[in-house]
Structure formats: structure tokens, C-alpha cells
Amino acid sequence: MKLKSIMVAGIVDDIRRIFQVLTEQSRKIEHKTNLTGPQLWVIKILKEKSPMKVSDLARRMYLHPATMVGLLDRLEAKGLLKRTRSENDRRVVFIDLTVQGCELEINSPEVVQNLLVSGLENLTGQELKNISGGMEQVVAILGAKDIPPQLIMSAEINAPKRRRKIG
Amino acid sequence: MKLKSIMVAGIVDDIRRIFQVLTEQSRKIEHKTNLTGPQLWVIKILKEKSPMKVSDLARRMYLHPATMVGLLDRLEAKGLLKRTRSENDRRVVFIDLTVQGCELEINSPEVVQNLLVSGLENLTGQELKNISGGMEQVVAILGAKDIPPQLIMSAEINAPKRRRKIG
DNA sequence: CAATAATAATTTGTGTTGATAAAATATATG
DNA sequence: CATATATTTTATCAACACAAATTATTATTG
């Protein structure tokens, strides 16, 4: 049982390291693309699933709707996404990536991605199979969490998130 | 050979998913701790290695020294880190986490961490061994990159990084 | 059906943070 | 002494973040 907990700790630590490398890379990308963290974050979310309503995006990012509008304005000005008013409900606005925005997302993580790909390609099929299986289990663990954590997201959504106080 | 590339793609995709979950979590933490992304980023770097010189921190985060000073001011005001002027070279200032800053870092990633730990603990020893081996290989791939990428970081460091232009 | 309430997005107003340049200060090194 | 280095100060601006009010639309209810 001791060995097991050590292995778990090691895995968690590895994940943390991977995360740090990726975060650092992400940060470089922000510089390279002239996008800020939150902006890149919007793009990534849209890459996952789009179109999305403005309110859904705000919820997903834990932001006040007004903040979201500002972010969208800037990204739209850069031609990375476009707004489309819904036909069914003329109050809602759908957000979509433009071709340009899509390309950006495709290009941006290339650095790490290429590194990973070329590194992985040097491994044997069996090694890849092991890694793949392991990753899927980790994803399952995290993914399981991704669904139920704040289920229906009732009341407190976009509740006046406590203002950041300093000093 | 076809299967191999598919597996590689799958692994890369899994890593991307893990990264997204962790980023989202990180974002929640920012809200909870009343810290911003860059601020939390400083804490994490210091957790990895401290004390660090102001200039080293700036390099590490690709920030202008003046930006770094501002960040440090705010974190110092919150009592999360402290400055200490070097004895050898009275120009340099060392940055260290305070107890409070250390505790914050310890507490903050607990959410995902606990989730991961409890999830992993349900796996068998063999499964853990596989995952562990796989993770280490990924870390090795990324780690190999972490060292040589911009080796000595000569001239262009903190060069007047192009100002973000909009519209 | 008309008045009212609720919802979705935006506008307006205000403040903080992040980011840089340029200059200043202090110290070290040739 | 002159030059380089490490940090800080000053000044400036964009970006982020929120509250409160506004507009447009949909849903409810009397």
C-alpha cells in the first residue's frame, strides 16, 4: 500500500509538471499572437464547442456578462470571431470563430504539439499503447469531475462575484 | 504505422483535455483566492524554486522588469512574499514566499489534486505503474524541451517586447 | 389581449491590474 | 572615473472586471 501512494504522488507531480510546461508555452503564445490570457481562453472554448451564447461563455469563464461583452468586442475587432443574432430568440447572440480565429487556434499550440508528436513518434507501439491507456484513465477521472461539479448552475450564476479587494 | 499516428494524436488530445480541465480549475482558484493569473503564476514559480532574483523572475515570465515590480508590490502587499536585499550584491533583491504565500499555494490546487488522488487510488497497482511510466515519458519529452529551448537567453531578453496593438 | 415580469445582451461609469518606456537610484566592475 | 547591471519610480495606456442602468425581446399573468 505504501508503494501505491508513492506512485499516485508521482503521477500527480508529473501532471503538475506537464501543466507548468504547457502554461508557460501558453504564455509565450499570448505574446506571439498579441492575445491576452482571457482572450486566448475564449478562443479555446469556442474551438471545443461553438456556436455559444454570450451568457454561456460568461458562465463558463466565471465572468460578468459585461466583462464578456468587452472581451468579445476586442476579439471581434481582431476578426477572430463573429456575432450572429439568433432567429428563434432575438435576444440571444451566438458566437462563432471565424476562419481566422480557427487558424489561430490551430497554429498556436503547434510548438508543444510538434514537440510532443515528434517525441511520441520515437516510442514503440507498445509504449504508446500504455501511455494512451494511462492518459485516458486520467481524462476519465478529471472528466467525471467535469460534468457534475456545479450541475445545473442555478441561482448564483453571475451573482455579483465578490470584487477583488486589495491592500 | 497508421495505428501509431492515431495513438499519438489521441494522446496529444488527451493531454489537451487534461490541460483544459486544469486551466479551468486554475481559473476558479484565481477567483477564490482573489489572485489574478499572473499573480498566481508568480507564486507557483516561487514554489518551484526560491529565493529568486527579480530579474530572473521577469525573464522566466517574459515580463519587463517594471511589470515584475508591480506584480511583486501587489503580492507583497498581500503578505504572500517578501523581498530581501542580497548581501553579496546590494543591487539584487531576492524574492521569497512567506508562510502565508506557501500555504496558499499548498491549498489552492487541492481541488483537482484531491480529485486526482482519490481517482487514482481506486486503480490497481499495475494500472498505476502503467500510468506512471507513461507520464514520465511525456514529462521527459516536454522536459527535454524545457532545457535547451532558448538556452542562454542572451540579448533579446526583456527587449522592448512589442506593445500590444489593437483595432 | 394588455400589462407586467423575466431574460439576454449591451452601454455607461469606475476602478484595478498588467504592460511597457524612459528616467532615476544604487551598486558593482573595468 | 566610466560603464554596466539590478531594481525601482514615474508616466501612460490597454485590458480586465464589475455594478447599475438600458434596450430589446420573450414569457406570464391578470
Side-chain angles (χ1 to χ4, degrees), chain B residues 36 64 67 74 89-91 160-161:
Chain B
T36 66
H64 194 280
T67 308
R74 285 184 284 273
D89 186 338
R90 311 269 320 149
R91 291 171 302 179
K161 236 149 304 169

Side-chain angles (χ1 to χ4, degrees), chain B residues 94-107:
Chain B
F94 285 119
I95 308 296
D96 251 313
L97 287 180
T98 61
V99 180
Q100 208 181 336
C102 223
E103 277 170 359
L104 175 91
E105 156 60 9
I106 289 168
N107 291 332

Side-chain angles (χ1 to χ4, degrees), chain A residues 64-151:
Chain A
H64 194 281
T67 308
M68 200 67 234
V69 169
L71 264 170
L72 295 177
D73 285 346
R74 285 183 284 273
L75 287 171
E76 192 181 30
K78 293 181 185 189
L80 299 178
L81 55 80
K82 63 175 182 297
R83 286 166 153 108
T84 317
R85 193 159 286 274
S86 165
E87 292 295 334
N88 301 9
D89 187 339
R90 311 261 328 145
R91 291 172 301 182
V92 333
V93 168
F94 285 120
I95 309 296
D96 251 314
L97 287 180
T98 61
V99 180
Q100 210 181 335
C102 222
E103 277 170 0
L104 175 90
E105 157 60 10
I106 288 168
N107 290 332
S108 60
E110 286 284 291
V111 200
V112 216
Q113 201 141 323
N114 286 338
L115 183 84
L116 263 176
V117 168
S118 57
L120 289 171
E121 274 171 351
N122 287 334
L123 302 181
T124 69
Q126 184 55 46
E127 285 173 316
L128 288 179
K129 204 170 166 185
N130 282 346
I131 296 178
S132 176
M135 284 296 169
E136 271 165 30
Q137 282 177 303
V138 173
V139 169
I141 292 172
L142 290 175
K145 189 252 156 208
D146 211 38
I147 300 166
Q150 47 224 114
L151 14 155

Side-chain angles (χ1 to χ4, degrees), chain A residues 41 45 52-66 68 92 150-159 161, chain B residues 24 27-28 31:
Chain A
W41 182 236
I45 289 177
M52 281 184 84
K53 302 200 295 181
V54 174
S55 47
D56 287 342
L57 270 171
R59 254 193 299 274
R60 178 83 188 272
M61 295 181 69
Y62 315 96
L63 290 180
H64 194 281
M68 200 67 234
V92 333
Q150 47 224 114
L151 14 155
I152 307 303
M153 296 197 155
S154 53
E156 49 141 1
I157 281 318
N158 287 339
K161 237 151 299 165
Chain B
E24 186 153 356
R27 186 132 178 86
K28 263 188 226 164
H31 262 104

Side-chain angles (χ1 to χ4, degrees), chain B residues 142-154:
Chain B
L142 290 175
K145 188 251 158 207
D146 211 39
I147 300 166
Q150 47 225 115
L151 14 155
I152 307 305
M153 299 198 153
S154 54

Side-chain angles (χ1 to χ4, degrees), chain B residues 77-88:
Chain B
K78 293 181 186 190
L80 298 178
L81 55 80
K82 62 177 185 294
R83 288 167 151 106
T84 317
R85 194 159 285 275
S86 164
E87 292 296 335
N88 301 11

Side-chain angles (χ1 to χ4, degrees), chain B residues 8-64:
Chain B
V8 169
I11 292 171
V12 171
D13 209 54
D14 285 339
I15 292 177
R16 201 170 53 81
R17 278 189 212 153
I18 294 171
F19 180 66
Q20 282 195 359
V21 173
L22 296 181
T23 305
E24 186 153 356
Q25 204 57 37
S26 194
R27 186 132 178 86
K28 263 188 226 164
I29 292 164
E30 291 168 22
H31 262 104
K32 216 182 72 181
T33 59
N34 265 336
L35 291 182
T36 66
Q39 286 172 10
L40 201 59
W41 182 236
V42 172
I43 304 283
K44 281 183 180 173
I45 289 177
L46 287 173
K47 187 70 196 310
E48 272 292 298
K49 175 176 177 297
S50 69
M52 280 183 85
K53 302 200 296 180
V54 174
S55 47
D56 287 341
L57 270 171
R59 253 192 300 274
R60 178 82 188 271
M61 295 180 70
Y62 314 97
L63 290 179
H64 194 280

